[in-house]
Amino acid sequence: MTSKKKCVVVTCFSQHQPGFLDFSYRIQALAEQYELTIISQDVLTQTELQIAGAEYIAIGRFHGKLGWLKYLWLAARIIRKNQPDVAVLLHSSAAPMVMMVGNIPTCLYWNEHPTNLIHLPESKSLRYLITAALHQLVFMGARHADVVMPIGEEHRDELLKRGCKPSRVNMIYMGVDDRFAQVQKLSPTGDKLCLIYVGSISIPRGRDVMLEAMNIVAQQSIPVKLSMVGADAEQLQICQSYIDAHHLADYLEVHGRVPGTAIPAMLANADAGICLWEDRPWWRFNPPTKLFEYLVAGLPILASDIRTHTRYVVNGRNGIIFAYHASALADAIVALYQSKSQIDVMSESAKTAGLVHLWSQIKPVFLQAVKRVEKI
């Protein structure tokens, strides 16, 4: 029996990481092919990230920009010591490690724009210059990686613009577990339109826009119910207070965070999904995971007008595009309710658009990209 080659995976999860599925798909796939070591800041307790037989190393979490670089240096030191056949850096913020690991082949998963990792100050100052230099350091890592794997077209085009060699840039979508394609819609709930939002429930991600939009819809007595899934304790309290103050219990319900594996069953209760992001520069690069989960599950999408939505959602075909404010979302909800007879057609269009995002299609492409650069 041939022994497996060695792979070290480096994660860079934030303390408030909302989801882990795209990372878990890749880690599980690598575990099938390699003897795996997984490096993280915190001890990984998430169900999605538990891999039988893998070695886990938790280095610890350090504060600030220097703490980030310290973590990368310590992780790189482990890689240099272990001398694996390949290292997979599972986050854009790990890019500087490429220059720290010596001659170890590196694959870089490019899922965040540097301006989202470290926000530039509004006014030019010494802090501004340091932050801009750190952005360049991240892009430098991408240019030196043996292969960099952006998750979408906007990221790919930006990497090429920033000097990455086309032969080393391999765009690979995040992927959606095939279980999302097997979602069986539950029986319609009468005349009511059932909507779902899955993800971080914060102001920049449209929390207040959704709350206010549902209040507008309720005032029109449109039979709609929105389930918001993914709130932390503080967000739960804020949302529930709004629901109580505006008597929206029949229109809104809010849930805490759930394991990614529980999401498909929750989508079965919905007629459509909501994606909305405030138009910030970095989100013009980052398509949200939930958008593809909705598509694969056959949910038409109500999506705010930002290019990482409009690239995948065609207005009137597999969803409705709206401007990022409460009245526009309310109008989109009412429009979808008034065209409920077309939801099945839109659902089929969503499923068709989602086919290229199935992990079963993406997995062999990802593994081949890693294998191509490993030590011979």
Side-chain angles (χ1 to χ4, degrees):
M1 181 176 179
T2 305
S3 60
K4 291 181 178 180
K5 290 189 173 184
K6 295 181 180 180
C7 173
V8 174
V9 171
V10 179
T11 66
C12 289
F13 299 134
S14 73
Q15 288 181 295
H16 305 290
Q17 184 82 25
F20 299 90
L21 285 183
D22 59 319
F23 304 104
S24 72
Y25 300 154
R26 284 158 176 77
I27 293 173
Q28 289 170 11
L30 291 168
E32 295 172 11
Q33 301 293 322
Y34 297 94
E35 182 181 321
L36 209 60
T37 298
I38 302 168
I39 299 175
S40 61
Q41 291 140 303
D42 306 314
V43 175
L44 298 179
T45 59
Q46 296 80 9
T47 304
E48 303 97 312
L49 301 176
Q50 301 308 305
I51 306 295
E55 177 188 11
Y56 288 83
I57 301 175
I59 290 177
R61 186 173 294 275
F62 309 107
H63 180 70
K65 298 178 181 66
L66 288 178
W68 159 56
L69 292 174
K70 179 180 179 181
Y71 169 69
L72 298 185
W73 175 253
L74 292 174
R77 191 166 68 178
I78 293 171
I79 290 174
R80 294 196 307 272
K81 180 180 178 181
N82 288 5
Q83 289 292 303
D85 297 282
V86 66
V88 178
L89 313 180
L90 269 186
H91 205 285
S92 304
S93 63
M97 283 186 63
V98 176
M99 283 88 73
M100 303 176 187
V101 297
N103 64 351
I104 304 299
T106 53
C107 304
L108 174 61
Y109 181 51
W110 190 265
N111 62 321
E112 293 273 3
H113 195 269
T115 53
N116 194 27
L117 301 174
I118 313 171
H119 294 179
L120 274 171
E122 292 185 5
S123 59
K124 291 195 174 182
S125 60
L126 178 60
R127 184 165 167 259
Y128 180 99
L129 294 174
I130 292 172
T131 301
L134 291 174
H135 289 169
Q136 293 307 312
L137 180 65
V138 175
F139 280 118
M140 186 184 298
R143 287 193 292 272
H144 284 82
D146 293 283
V147 62
V148 56
M149 297 177 280
I151 61 174
E153 291 83 355
E154 274 68 37
H155 277 309
R156 177 199 61 197
D157 295 347
E158 177 76 354
L159 287 166
L160 294 174
K161 178 181 174 182
R162 295 281 184 163
C164 290
K165 294 180 179 179
S167 61
R168 294 187 177 187
V169 177
N170 192 345
M171 191 193 78
I172 302 176
Y173 289 132
M174 284 182 282
V176 175
D177 193 289
D178 288 40
R179 284 174 294 180
F180 283 85
Q182 297 158 9
V183 167
Q184 297 295 315
K185 294 288 187 68
L186 300 181
S187 301
T189 54
D191 191 40
K192 183 172 288 188
L193 179 69
C194 295
L195 306 175
I196 191 166
Y197 169 88
V198 179
S200 178
I201 301 176
S202 61
I203 292 176
R205 300 197 183 210
R207 183 195 70 203
D208 293 353
V209 172
M210 286 187 284
L211 294 175
E212 292 167 19
M214 291 306 296
N215 191 33
I216 294 170
V217 170
Q219 291 173 18
Q220 300 177 51
S221 299
I222 305 292
V224 177
K225 184 69 172 281
L226 169 60
S227 297
M228 300 166 68
V229 182
D232 62 24
E234 181 183 5
Q235 293 161 356
L236 274 170
Q237 183 177 6
I238 291 170
C239 292
Q240 194 58 54
S241 294
Y242 188 95
I243 291 169
D244 294 341
H246 294 84
H247 309 291
L248 295 176
D250 291 337
Y251 291 87
L252 264 171
E253 61 183 18
V254 185
H255 303 271
R257 294 182 177 176
V258 299
T261 51
I263 299 299
M266 303 187 84
L267 298 186
N269 293 295
D271 297 303
I274 293 180
C275 276
L276 70 172
W277 270 350
E278 189 175 307
D279 188 7
R280 297 188 174 187
W282 46 86
W283 283 334
R284 297 172 195 164
F285 294 92
N286 287 28
T289 307
K290 58 180 166 287
L291 185 150
F292 306 115
E293 293 173 348
Y294 295 158
L295 289 177
V296 168
L299 292 186
I301 301 173
L302 302 178
S304 60
D305 189 4
I306 188 171
R307 70 184 187 184
T308 40
H309 292 161
T310 57
R311 179 176 285 278
Y312 309 103
V313 179
V314 180
N315 190 47
R317 183 182 300 173
N318 59 0
I320 297 175
I321 302 297
F322 61 91
Y324 183 84
H325 56 79
S327 60
L329 173 55
D331 289 345
I333 292 171
V334 173
L336 185 63
Y337 172 76
Q338 292 174 342
S339 59
K340 275 194 75 177
S341 61
Q342 296 300 308
I343 286 180
D344 286 344
V345 175
M346 296 174 75
S347 176
E348 287 304 314
S349 294
K351 283 186 177 181
T352 300
L355 290 176
V356 296
H357 299 283
L358 285 172
W359 177 244
S360 59
Q361 306 297 314
I362 294 170
K363 177 181 174 181
V365 179
F366 167 72
L367 288 175
Q368 183 57 36
V370 176
K371 184 173 180 58
R372 182 164 58 87
V373 303
E374 70 182 23
K375 289 181 182 177
I376 299 175

